[in-house]
Amino acid sequence: MAVSLNLFKHWFQYTVIAPEFQGILLSEMLKIFKHNRIFVNPLDLSEQANYTKATSKTCINKFEDARSTGQKEVNIMGKYQEDAKLLLEYVGGKENIAAVSHCVSRMRFVLNDPAKADVAKIEALKSAKGTFTQAGQFQVIIGNTVSDFYNDFIAVSGIDGVSKEAVKSAAKQNQNALQKVMSVLAEVFAPLIPAIITGGLILGFRNCIDSIYFFNNGTQTLCDISQFWSGVDSFLWLIGEAIFHMLPVCICWSVTKKMGTTQSLGIVLGLTLVSGQLLNAYSVASTAAADIPKWDFGFFTINMIGYQAQVIPAMLAAFTLVYLERFFRKICPAVISMIVVPFCSLVLSVIIAHTVLGPIGWKIGTFISDIVYAGISGSFRVVFGAIFGFVYAPLVITGLHHMSNAIDMQLIADFGGTMLWPMIALSNIAQGSAVLGMIYLQRKNADAQEVNVPACISCYLGVTEPAMFGVNLKFHFPFICGMIGSAIAAVVCVATSTTANAIGVGGIPGILSIQPAYMLSFALCMLIAIVVPFVLTVSVGKKKGIA
């Protein structure tokens, strides 16, 4: 009796295919294709040393695609089989792969010995558009068809693919201490970015309607002349306040999520840092020391101060909670752990946060933001801007750029905006413009354009890795041209004191997060970041004979 497709799927999903059944299952799968009048080229399968579950999945996917589209001829293993085999060989073989996954455009490997990867041969593959190593992961740029390539690679290698999170976890074996710290920072702030971007857009819109005097000869704002817009302005602050003032809650939750401890305890800890019982952090500077409320324990007191919008105090408190919970869970008997672990962990964390870590973290955060602000706004701000604009793109390569999120948030808390983030957006735009130059130089090279065009678009929208690793670093000079354009744009940016309400989309849409008074100056900076790298890249490329 012929095996049904649904039964075959069941076997694939729930069982390990033993060698003695592999030939039978292959035969039955081919019968299913034949029954549906779909011709299958089985030669690729006959080259497989073992008929794996991954191959089974490929068969099923190809069959369903063919049946739904009416396709009459199917090559089961797909068009990337040969390149997939070669890639497996060039990365050091199956035994050198600790984990493999893929993202939107790249294969992501964690290699046991990265030195065994033959980069030159990999980049010579027709399917590969470039390679780079970041955060302990060896990544091969494939392009928009990466999912098809991944399926063929899994089939020919016999390796079970894993999630991106599992790859990140496995990649720690190839990271040094600094890279691990940066990786943790990145993973803590990554879930918060959408909310922060939303908050920045809301603040920008509110500034437009309640702070710009457009009406009655420049004497009134839109909110002054319209009760409706005044109500909109007040309502939107509900969201803006929740995002920025309650930021410690998000940070504490994200840290506990990242570290694998109890997330609800993280949320509660964050709430204790911004509770309404405490003096609001924004009111501390204007409140006399004698008037600051205190918890009075008879022989000592603790200031009742909130940490609204504070980044470092929240992170210190959250990591304290994480390690306390791990400690108590380790020493506490399982029979009473449900009671003892959360109680002791949370209470001690809150005490330590308000007595030691909060005040220290506040001072550290203020010190860092003061130093950065002095660099951006002081007598040497042009020099600071030039240096930062020039080196930011190399920082992205190392992963050190993730620390900028914490600095930006501290600047926003202390100064009501950040002049650092606009330069970051300009650096991204400059790298995208260098790719735009390569698009012009290689306009007759169809294979190159498959990488160049998507990389340029994604870079202008704030995702720089495909542009930098897939194009600019491959040729070297576009990367330098982008750095030069970024430095010039950053000089103009700091010279005009261009300030953002918050972190936004790190590309052309980033103008929406800029404070209205500085939108024109930021537009000028964007123009510089587009024109200079493009002209430099085209000029240098022509001299090098790039086409």
Side-chain angles (χ1 to χ4, degrees):
M1 180 183 294
V3 180
S4 70
L5 181 64
N6 286 335
L7 184 55
F8 192 89
K9 283 184 178 180
H10 179 82
W11 283 343
F12 155 69
Q13 186 172 5
Y14 295 108
T15 66
V16 176
I17 304 174
E20 58 267 27
F21 292 113
Q22 291 170 3
I24 297 173
L25 293 182
L26 173 58
S27 174
E28 294 299 332
M29 190 66 200
L30 293 178
K31 288 179 183 178
I32 295 174
F33 277 85
K34 184 176 180 180
H35 178 74
N36 284 267
R37 297 182 179 180
I38 299 173
F39 174 74
V40 179
N41 179 3
L43 294 180
D44 294 327
L45 286 179
S46 65
E47 296 177 3
Q48 289 291 99
N50 292 303
Y51 186 72
T52 63
K53 292 175 68 175
T55 304
S56 308
K57 183 178 181 180
T58 302
C59 289
I60 293 172
N61 291 341
K62 295 288 182 180
F63 171 78
E64 292 187 331
D65 289 344
R67 187 169 61 175
S68 63
T69 60
Q71 187 177 350
K72 295 302 179 183
E73 183 171 338
V74 178
N75 184 329
I76 291 178
M77 288 306 296
K79 63 181 180 179
Y80 297 111
Q81 178 191 7
E82 291 303 321
D83 277 5
K85 287 181 179 178
L86 291 174
L87 179 60
L88 177 63
E89 176 186 345
Y90 296 158
V91 296
K94 180 178 179 180
E95 63 279 1
N96 195 38
I97 300 175
V100 60
S101 182
H102 75 90
C103 58
V104 176
S105 62
R106 289 158 281 159
M107 293 283 291
R108 293 171 173 249
F109 295 92
V110 177
L111 303 179
N112 294 320
D113 184 1
K116 289 184 178 180
D118 193 329
V119 175
K121 288 184 178 180
I122 293 173
E123 292 187 345
L125 292 174
K126 184 178 180 180
S127 302
K129 308 303 190 296
T131 66
F132 64 93
T133 299
Q134 187 180 47
Q137 299 178 38
F138 180 74
Q139 304 190 30
V140 181
I141 303 169
I142 302 297
N144 295 332
T145 58
V146 66
S147 60
D148 293 333
F149 187 97
Y150 174 79
N151 288 336
D152 283 353
F153 183 86
I154 293 300
V156 301
S157 66
I159 299 173
D160 289 331
V162 298
S163 67
K164 286 190 288 184
E165 293 303 317
V167 168
K168 288 180 181 179
S169 179
K172 291 178 181 178
Q173 70 185 37
N174 296 328
Q175 295 177 342
N176 58 39
L178 181 59
Q179 288 174 326
K180 289 179 180 179
V181 171
M182 293 299 107
S183 178
V184 169
L185 279 177
E187 292 179 39
V188 166
F189 280 97
L192 312 184
I193 297 300
I196 294 171
I197 290 175
T198 300
L201 294 175
I202 286 174
L203 291 183
F205 181 74
R206 291 182 72 245
N207 284 342
C208 289
I209 64 176
D210 70 9
S211 300
I212 300 181
Y213 294 88
F214 280 125
F215 305 97
N216 294 334
N217 297 320
T219 61
Q220 290 184 305
T221 66
L222 183 60
C223 288
D224 292 333
I225 65 172
S226 170
Q227 182 59 49
F228 171 78
W229 289 110
S230 177
V232 169
D233 183 65
S234 178
F235 175 78
L236 289 178
W237 178 235
L238 173 68
I239 304 173
E241 181 186 44
I243 292 173
F244 292 108
H245 285 208
M246 306 302 162
L247 183 64
V249 180
C250 298
I251 291 175
C252 290
W253 160 78
S254 188
V255 168
T256 53
K257 179 177 182 291
K258 157 63 186 166
M259 303 304 287
T261 53
T262 308
Q263 297 174 37
S264 60
L265 295 182
I267 294 172
V268 174
L269 174 62
L271 289 171
T272 66
L273 298 176
V274 295
S275 170
Q277 300 178 36
L278 309 174
L279 178 65
N280 191 292
Y282 289 97
S283 302
V284 172
S286 59
T287 303
D291 296 331
I292 294 178
K294 295 176 173 60
W295 286 293
D296 191 345
F297 295 91
F299 55 94
F300 72 96
T301 61
I302 301 174
N303 288 336
M304 298 174 62
I305 293 177
Y307 295 93
Q308 285 80 1
Q310 294 293 316
V311 175
I312 294 180
M315 293 190 68
L316 293 176
F319 278 107
T320 299
L321 172 63
V322 165
Y323 289 109
L324 281 174
E325 182 175 347
R326 288 180 176 179
F327 170 74
F328 285 116
R329 198 169 296 281
K330 183 178 180 180
I331 66 170
C332 186
V335 68
I336 58 171
S337 64
M338 181 65 73
I339 299 172
V340 174
V341 173
F343 178 82
C344 293
S345 303
L346 183 60
V347 172
L348 286 176
S349 297
V350 174
I351 293 173
I352 295 171
H354 282 281
T355 56
V356 181
L357 299 179
I360 292 176
W362 190 319
K363 290 185 181 298
I364 293 173
T366 301
F367 175 77
I368 294 173
S369 65
D370 284 344
I371 293 294
V372 175
Y373 189 78
I376 296 174
S377 60
S379 303
F380 296 97
R381 61 183 178 178
V382 172
V383 177
F384 180 93
I387 294 173
F388 185 85
F390 189 77
V391 304
Y392 182 77
L395 288 178
V396 173
I397 298 174
T398 64
L400 293 176
H401 67 297
H402 293 302
M403 70 176 71
S404 66
N405 288 328
I407 297 173
D408 276 318
M409 296 311 301
Q410 194 64 46
L411 287 170
I412 293 166
D414 291 344
F415 301 103
T418 172
M419 287 193 284
L420 191 67
W421 182 83
M423 292 189 288
I424 293 173
L426 292 171
S427 177
N428 295 348
I429 294 170
Q431 290 297 320
S433 300
V435 179
L436 186 64
M438 294 302 297
I439 291 174
Y440 176 79
L441 290 170
Q442 298 180 307
R443 57 191 179 277
K444 296 182 180 180
N445 187 333
D447 289 339
Q449 299 298 60
E450 288 183 12
V451 180
N452 294 346
V453 174
C456 180
I457 293 172
S458 66
C459 200
Y460 278 153
L461 295 177
V463 181
T464 58
E465 284 83 357
M468 289 200 296
F469 294 110
V471 183
N472 294 348
L473 285 171
K474 183 178 180 179
F475 293 93
H476 300 299
F477 72 90
F479 187 68
I480 301 299
C481 294
M483 291 168 62
I484 294 172
S486 171
I488 296 172
V491 167
V492 177
C493 187
V494 296
T496 55
S497 301
T498 300
T499 306
N501 288 306
I503 297 171
V505 178
I508 292 177
I511 194 171
L512 299 175
S513 296
I514 301 297
Q515 293 182 358
Y518 301 107
M519 282 187 173
L520 286 178
S521 63
F522 186 74
L524 173 62
C525 295
M526 285 200 303
L527 184 62
I528 295 171
I530 292 172
V531 173
V532 172
F534 176 81
V535 172
L536 289 177
T537 301
V538 171
S539 300
V540 176
K542 285 184 176 179
K543 290 182 180 180
K544 289 180 174 289
I546 301 295

